[in-house]
Amino acid sequence: MTGTGALARLQAAFASAVTGGDEAAVAAQLAGDPALARRRLAIYREAIGANRRGALRSAYPVVARLVGEAFFDEAARRLADSAPPACADLNRYGDGFPAFLTTYPHAGQMPWLADVARLEWAWHEALSAADAPGIDFAALAAVPAEEEPALRFSLHPSVRLVSSAWPVLAIWEANQPERDGAPDRDEGADDVLLWREDGRVRMALLDPLDAAFVAAIGRGIPLEEAAGSEGWNFAPMLARLAEHGLLAGFAGPPSGG
Amino acid sequence: MPARFPPRAPDPATAGIGLRTPHFEALAARTPPLSFLEVHSENYFAEGGPALAWLERFRADYAVSLHGVGLSLGSADPLDPRHLDRLAALAGRIEPALVSEHLCWSSIGGTHLGELLPLPYTEEALAHVCRRVTEVQERLRRPILVENVSAYVRFVSSTIPEGEFVAEVARRTGCGVLFDVNNAWVNAANHGTDPRAILDALEPASVGEIHLAGYEATRDGLVDTHGARVFPEVWALYEETLARLGQVPTLVEWDNDIPPLDVLLGEATLANAILASAGARSRAAA
């Protein structure tokens, strides 16, 4: 809770003035030439706006390119007004941007925009997620065959799965700095797997059964149940997860230890 | 927990630089002689990933200073416990030689403004800041350094000169002072005060680090951008500072429009020359 003393009142008035609110309350408390003091207050207002825009732009470079500077800056300003940073680490700011875009009227002509933003936020999260040692392959190899169907795996903390009705991965790839913005595909739906490997975020397009399997594994569902449909061979996907370090650990059935 | 890194302290005879992402590769390839590297603590608050891995790698070769920009020591809000936890975790992981924060506020009512905002220099603010510096020092189990900030506005309610405010925080809490020479210059120019006033007020032994940076001159005054070379008048004030204090670990900051590493190393070399003459003077006086 914020205190009620003079310091708390001054800070509340100052914060309001530098985030687009009324200046009068704080202006009365500034020393020196009033006109100059107000212009100096604007230095703070502009810096705060620029920091927030900058943080959002660095997390959402593809959205920024798709919509252009004026659109992006206005969206950033409205997001900051409705959901200002709640934490001093601006790397964590902007998680609400995809949801904001789904209801932002000016984004209506780009129905894929919010999903592209979800993909970018997943990428951003994957980059700074916790580190984890890889799975113990020797211990895994020692699991008796009859216990394998009951194994539960845990995924590396960086793993994210983004599903969209739009070709979001193709849009993302086409809007990297070296590309001209024209996607290779104009149809989705895309199930995109993201993970961090050797310090870099990687992405792969999965087919729907693979995606459902990875999602189930991520929820801690036992292997056989996660594999789902009859006769579907989960082994290639499991091997792929293992090879790229997406499996962080495993637990056997309760009785088998 | 056993130490993971060799203990390293900044060499007061040579300057350090702020560590920024664009320089990671060049710095790792060259490992130039530097007193220490300083990072903005919040840039390493992630749980994992490449930035932390780089910092750990640099920590093996250099003393590291964790310089906070978001703890909001002067805010009327309670200290953010998650922020303190993350800072404590980072300090545990990196084993820094120095930990510092600003004498300012940056959040109120749960909203973070992300700027170093000026405090009114009142008895209320002084007592409040001192309680919080003590809280942080108890949590981290070490003394911190607090930095004088640049302030573009001043408040009519201020009753304590800035230098006395800073000195009194150090006196009451046992923390050290990070004296930012550029900020002292910027404030003096913007408010028509004496740039030496802060220095006059400080206990020489309390100053544990010095910052140097560049500002930008605008029609509304000097803005502390950390985006330019150190200005000649700031070098002169730095020289005067060392003449009074002797050698103090010195950092060249450059956070915006980041130049090639060599430009930053060039600024550090200029600081080294001034540090060397301060060292020679101290030896002659001894």
Side-chain angles (χ1 to χ4, degrees):
Chain A
M1 210 178 76
T2 301
T4 53
L7 181 65
R9 286 195 304 277
L10 175 64
Q11 290 177 343
F14 195 105
S16 165
V18 294
T19 53
D22 177 37
E23 271 185 19
V26 80
Q29 305 202 47
L30 300 180
D33 173 56
L36 179 59
R38 281 187 178 229
R39 292 205 303 276
R40 296 259 182 88
L41 206 54
I43 297 175
Y44 289 113
R45 186 183 312 114
E46 282 156 26
I48 290 165
N51 290 343
R52 291 173 173 184
R53 278 197 303 279
L56 209 59
R57 190 180 296 279
S58 80
Y60 296 99
V62 171
V63 170
R65 178 169 163 179
L66 285 169
V67 301
E69 190 170 341
F71 181 115
F72 191 86
D73 288 355
E74 178 60 15
R77 190 184 65 76
R78 294 196 192 192
L79 177 75
D81 286 348
S82 61
C87 158
D89 175 8
L90 278 178
N91 291 316
R92 290 171 201 260
Y93 173 61
D95 58 337
F97 195 44
F100 168 86
L101 289 175
T102 58
T103 58
Y104 190 46
H106 305 291
Q109 310 221 320
M110 290 171 278
W112 56 85
L113 196 62
D115 282 1
V116 173
R118 280 203 295 133
L119 184 65
E120 292 203 279
W121 190 254
W123 193 100
H124 187 71
E125 283 188 327
L127 185 65
S128 56
D131 300 307
I135 196 165
D136 182 346
F137 283 108
L140 184 60
V143 172
E146 66 276 15
E147 289 180 12
E148 280 176 13
L151 288 180
R152 297 165 195 271
F153 290 92
S154 56
L155 298 177
H156 188 276
S158 69
V159 175
R160 300 287 183 279
L161 197 54
V162 173
S163 298
S164 168
W166 304 95
V168 284
L169 182 58
I171 295 170
W172 188 93
E173 286 171 338
N175 286 284
Q176 293 309 297
E178 68 285 2
R179 291 276 305 270
D180 67 359
D184 296 335
R185 296 177 285 120
D186 50 17
E187 285 187 13
D190 280 8
D191 289 302
V192 186
L193 180 68
L194 302 95
W195 72 98
R196 191 176 70 232
E197 189 173 352
D198 299 329
R200 290 172 197 278
V201 177
R202 302 187 58 184
M203 298 196 281
L205 197 60
L206 299 187
D207 73 43
L209 284 176
D210 284 339
F213 173 69
V214 175
I217 291 238
R219 290 195 301 272
I221 291 171
L223 194 52
E224 189 172 46
E225 198 184 320
S229 14
E230 281 302 310
W232 182 70
N233 181 13
F234 62 79
M237 189 65 222
L238 191 64
R240 212 172 141 196
L241 294 177
E243 183 193 342
H244 293 283
L246 279 72
L247 299 178
F250 70 95
S255 56
Chain B
M1 204 170 74
R4 301 164 64 226
F5 293 108
R8 290 186 193 276
D11 168 14
T14 55
I17 61 170
L19 175 64
R20 307 298 305 196
T21 314
H23 297 148
F24 284 176
E25 302 272 357
L27 204 56
R30 294 164 54 181
T31 326
L34 288 165
S35 171
F36 62 110
L37 297 175
E38 184 163 285
V39 296
H40 288 178
S41 314
E42 291 79 2
N43 287 346
Y44 298 86
F45 273 9
E47 281 136 50
L52 264 174
W54 274 109
L55 183 57
E56 292 193 318
R57 172 176 174 171
F58 287 122
R59 174 61 184 85
D61 292 324
Y62 293 104
V64 166
S65 162
L66 297 182
H67 184 51
V69 294
L71 189 55
S72 200
L73 279 176
S75 157
D77 277 349
L79 279 170
D80 180 350
R82 295 164 308 172
H83 193 109
L84 260 184
D85 286 347
R86 287 174 187 147
L87 180 58
L90 182 64
R93 187 159 177 168
I94 296 301
E95 298 163 20
L98 301 168
V99 178
S100 54
E101 249 297 349
H102 296 86
L103 277 182
C104 71
W105 64 284
S106 54
S107 64
I108 192 73
T111 291
H112 283 263
L113 298 164
E115 277 292 307
L116 307 173
L117 302 172
L119 283 166
Y121 297 126
T122 60
E123 292 296 341
E124 180 201 8
L126 177 61
H128 182 68
V129 166
C130 287
R131 276 193 300 274
R132 290 156 70 95
V133 169
T134 298
E135 194 180 336
V136 173
Q137 294 187 137
E138 285 175 357
R139 178 73 172 84
L140 299 180
R141 296 184 195 171
R142 62 184 299 155
I144 63 169
L145 302 172
V146 296
E147 177 181 342
N148 57 300
V149 296
S150 17
Y152 309 126
V153 297
R154 289 178 306 159
F155 299 106
V156 289
S157 54
S158 288
T159 54
I160 306 170
E162 182 189 6
E164 284 176 33
F165 190 93
V166 178
E168 193 59 23
V169 172
R171 203 171 296 130
R172 290 191 195 176
T173 67
C175 75
V177 173
L178 195 179
F179 179 54
D180 189 309
V181 181
N182 185 59
N183 291 349
W185 183 264
V186 163
N187 286 356
N190 285 341
H191 305 300
T193 52
D194 180 358
R196 293 161 201 84
I198 298 183
L199 202 50
D200 289 341
L202 295 178
E203 226 19 91
S206 71
V207 182
E209 185 184 343
I210 289 176
H211 270 181
L212 295 167
Y215 59 77
E216 185 187 333
T218 74
R219 74 174 181 134
D220 297 325
L222 305 187
V223 179
D224 178 32
T225 52
H226 296 183
R229 291 178 193 269
V230 178
F231 280 82
E233 57 271 28
V234 175
W235 282 122
L237 184 56
Y238 174 58
E239 223 168 326
E240 204 176 314
T241 303
L242 293 194
R244 295 203 206 177
L245 304 178
Q247 292 177 328
V248 177
T250 298
L251 183 94
V252 180
E253 296 180 288
W254 202 314
D255 300 321
N256 291 297
D257 297 326
I258 296 169
L261 179 62
D262 278 324
V263 174
L264 205 47
L265 295 177
E267 294 288 278
T269 303
L270 292 176
N272 286 347
I274 299 172
L275 281 162
S277 37
R281 265 196 312 273
S282 312
R283 281 190 297 277

